[in-house]
């Protein structure tokens, strides 16, 4: 009698069309010689001292005792992406005695107090990572959102990176995508992403974010899920095991302290159960004809707002380029390149272009020539927009501080610490709103801070004092 739950697919692997706990293979069974066994952690959400902190320590011990090869992290490693959380979870991950790699998730990028520079320092990359294991090439990349409460997206420079890495794949190497977000309508440029992946031969993408084991169809690419560590209500805590064969991947759920259970087996090409799943509808094409025109096309995504100094457009991008573009003449006037992406909207006032850098520091440039006028070093990333009033600049810093700066000299007049960890909004929202009750700061407004004992000059770190100006690119 034909088993109604199993169908033979074209890649000669068995596809489970429904969960079959009874079909799970025992832990002692010897896998085929070409099997790549992996542990897939995603959405572990560790904060020092929380429940996931304890659960993850148990999971690390299990992974070390397993026969898995690499350990893959689909991210959301933390809850708020703070420097303290990142350092703590990185220390726990470093206890793994197996190769491991990770990409950032929205909990690392959306609220980062350092403009994601701490993630790069700890994990060795800014979002893109390539790893090889037993004939597989894993290409991981970030999905945002970047600093603001926006939708996810894949950066244009990361798509170009994917194409370069795939072009350098070894003969016969199977390429698997790794992205925290599912490649569906949660990404604003999802169609561009899936078209890029398909063009380079990617047929499967690992993802997290949804916290549950549910297969998805990403425009014909098999969506391979990972479950969250804590689990949903009523679930035991656990993680995911992925066993890669020559033409398929087996997805097993591993509750902590219990044997794994097979949930799905997916063919890496033309799997009928993936084809049968619906895809998100494509977003409508923007109808801008006759109402707007393209002024300038950038090679990276624009993370800042646009500012105008007369006819000169100023903005920053994810590659750290601050650009001044003459919209009347249709040419670039000048640019400055910073070590990390720019998140604050440039401020154009009094013939100056003022920008804060995620790498630390506030800079003022001549709007027409790009010549540096002044530079104020800071100990932290500048990730909040600023505003001016009466010849002074008010701007938020990543450590939850707001400062008042003299526009003419760049001298810090005072700084007030709210103790909240981050200051991402426009400065006026910080000036006019008392600090939340759960912050350790005093909660006084900036007006009061000018006479407060906590209003002070901002000491530059030794690194900031010795840092040179950003290089000017041609």
């Amino acid at each position: 009698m034909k088993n109604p739950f199993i169908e033979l697919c074209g890649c000669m692997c068995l596809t489970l069309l429904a969960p079959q706990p009874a079909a799970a293979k025992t832990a002692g069974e010897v896998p085929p010689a070409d099997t790549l066994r992996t542990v897939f952690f995603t959405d572990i959400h560790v904060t020092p001292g929380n429940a996931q902190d304890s659960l993850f320590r148990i999971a690390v011990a299990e992974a070390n005792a397993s026969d898995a090869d690499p350990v893959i992290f689909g991210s959301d490693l933390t809850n708020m992406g703070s420097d303290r959380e990142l350092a703590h979870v990185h220390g726990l991950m470093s206890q793994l005695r197996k190769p491991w790699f990770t990409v950032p998730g929205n909990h690392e990028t959306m609220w980062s107090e350092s403009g994601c520079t701490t993630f790069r320092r700890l994990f060795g990359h800014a979002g893109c990572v390539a790893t090889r294991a037993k004939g597989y090439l894993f290409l991981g990349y970030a999905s945002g959102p970047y600093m603001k409460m926006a939708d996810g997206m894949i950066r244009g420079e990361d798509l170009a990176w994917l194409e370069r890495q795939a072009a350098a794949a070894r003969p016969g190497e199977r390429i698997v995508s790794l992205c925290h977000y599912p490649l569906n309508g949660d990404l604003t440029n999802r169609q561009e992403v899936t078209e890029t992946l398909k063009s380079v031969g990617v047929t499967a993408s690992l993802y997290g974010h949804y916290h549950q084991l549910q297969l998805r169809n990403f425009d014909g690419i098999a969506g391979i899920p990972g479950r969250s560590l804590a689990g949903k209500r009523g679930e035991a805590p656990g993680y995911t095991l992925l066993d890669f064969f020559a033409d398929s991947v087996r997805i097993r759920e591993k509750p902590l302290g219990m044997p794994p259970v097979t949930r799905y087996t997916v063919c890496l090409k033309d799997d009928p159960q993936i084809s049968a799943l619906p895809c998100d509808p494509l977003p409508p094409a923007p109808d801008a004809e006759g109402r707007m025109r393209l002024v300038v096309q950038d090679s990276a995504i624009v993370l800042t707002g646009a500012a105008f100094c007369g006819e000169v457009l100023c903005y920053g991008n994810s590659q750290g380029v601050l650009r001044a573009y003459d919209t009347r003449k249709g040419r670039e006037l000048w640019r400055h390149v910073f070590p990390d992406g720019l998140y604050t909207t440039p401020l154009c006032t009094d013939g100056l272009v003022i920008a804060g850098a995620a790498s630390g520091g506030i800079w003022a440039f001549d709007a027409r020539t790009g010549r540096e006028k002044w530079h104020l070093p800071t100990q932290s990333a500048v990730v909040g927009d600023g505003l001016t009033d009466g010849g002074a600049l008010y701007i938020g810093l990543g450590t939850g501080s707001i400062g008042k700066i003299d526009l003419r000299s760049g001298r810090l007049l005072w700084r007030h610490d709210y103790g909240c960890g981050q200051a991402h909004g426009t400065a006026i929202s910080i000036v006019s709103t008392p600090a939340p009750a759960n912050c350790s700061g005093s909660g006084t407004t900036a007006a009061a801070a000018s006479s407060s004992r906590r209003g002070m000059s901002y000491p530059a770190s030794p690194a900031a004092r010795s840092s040179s100006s950003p290089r000017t690119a041609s």
Side-chain angles (χ1 to χ4, degrees), residues 185 187-191 280-286:
L187 296 176
T188 57
N189 60 339
R190 117 34 191 0
Q191 185 178 9
D280 281 5
L282 297 177

Side-chain angles (χ1 to χ4, degrees), residues 270-296:
D270 301 326
D271 190 310
Q273 67 182 327
I274 299 299
S275 302
L277 296 174
C279 298
D280 281 5
L282 297 177
D287 179 18
E289 187 173 353
R291 293 185 287 117
M292 61 180 69
R293 65 183 178 87
L294 178 65
V295 175
V296 60

Side-chain angles (χ1 to χ4, degrees), residues 25-297:
K25 296 188 177 182
T26 61
E29 187 170 348
V30 179
D34 64 346
T35 300
L36 171 64
R37 288 194 166 185
T38 71
V39 172
F40 185 31
F41 289 126
T42 186
D43 298 277
I44 60 177
H45 292 289
V46 171
T47 293
N50 74 347
Q52 285 91 322
D53 187 353
S54 299
L55 293 174
F56 185 54
R57 294 169 190 267
I58 298 171
V60 167
E62 288 193 359
N64 281 334
S66 74
D67 59 356
D69 295 298
V71 177
I72 303 171
F73 286 89
S75 212
D76 271 9
L77 310 171
T78 65
N79 277 306
M80 295 301 293
S82 68
D83 289 358
R84 175 172 174 261
E85 285 184 334
L86 285 170
H88 180 77
V89 75
H90 180 267
L92 297 181
M93 294 163 72
S94 298
Q95 294 176 17
L96 285 163
R97 297 192 297 270
K98 299 175 182 292
W100 58 267
F101 58 95
T102 186
V103 293
N106 57 295
H107 279 252
E108 280 70 64
T109 60
M110 188 183 297
W111 299 295
S112 171
E113 65 190 86
S114 68
C116 303
T117 58
T118 299
F119 183 93
R120 174 177 56 77
R121 176 176 57 82
L122 290 172
F123 295 99
H125 62 86
C128 291
V129 59
T131 299
R132 286 185 161 90
K134 289 189 177 180
Y136 279 89
L137 173 61
F138 294 93
L139 298 180
Y141 47 97
S143 53
Y146 296 97
M147 305 306 294
K148 312 295 183 182
M149 296 296 288
D151 293 326
M153 77 169 303
I154 309 302
R155 296 174 292 199
E157 60 267 35
D158 291 352
L159 291 177
W161 175 87
L162 278 167
E163 291 178 321
R164 292 193 303 270
Q165 293 294 321
R170 297 166 182 169
E173 208 163 36
R174 290 150 288 188
I175 308 174
V176 176
S177 157
L178 169 64
C179 180
H180 176 69
Y181 265 34
L183 309 183
N184 59 10
D186 286 358
L187 296 176
T188 57
N189 60 339
R190 117 34 191 0
Q191 185 178 9
E192 182 183 8
V193 176
T194 56
E195 287 179 352
T196 299
L197 292 176
K198 288 190 289 187
S199 71
V200 299
V202 173
T203 58
S205 183
L206 312 183
Y207 75 96
H209 195 56
Y210 286 173
H211 291 203
Q212 58 187 337
L213 292 178
Q214 184 176 358
L215 296 179
R216 295 195 175 258
N217 183 350
F218 301 146
D219 299 337
I221 295 173
I224 308 298
R227 57 157 287 171
S228 62
L229 177 62
K232 291 189 173 294
R233 186 181 298 274
E235 285 184 337
Y239 50 96
T240 310
L241 301 175
L242 301 177
D243 302 323
F244 291 88
F245 305 98
D247 55 3
S248 63
V249 57
R250 179 176 59 190
I251 304 165
R252 295 187 292 164
E253 185 173 11
K254 176 63 177 71
L256 290 181
M258 300 172 63
V261 178
T262 298
R263 293 306 185 193
Y264 304 98
T265 302
V266 178
C267 297
L268 291 176
K269 185 176 182 182
D270 301 326
D271 190 310
Q273 67 182 327
I274 299 299
S275 302
L277 296 174
C279 298
D280 281 5
L282 297 177
D287 179 18
E289 187 173 353
R291 293 185 287 117
M292 61 180 69
R293 65 183 178 87
L294 178 65
V295 175
V296 60
Q297 179 71 46

Side-chain angles (χ1 to χ4, degrees), residues 411-460:
R411 183 172 62 90
L412 186 68
L413 302 177
W414 53 255
R415 184 196 74 184
H416 181 69
D417 297 321
Y418 282 81
C420 300
Q422 294 138 318
H424 290 168
T426 303
I428 188 63
S429 66
I430 305 170
V431 173
S432 60
T433 306
N438 63 347
C439 294
S440 59
S442 64
T444 54
T445 64
S450 61
S451 58
S452 167
R453 291 183 180 179
R454 300 188 69 188
M456 64 194 81
S457 61
Y458 195 80

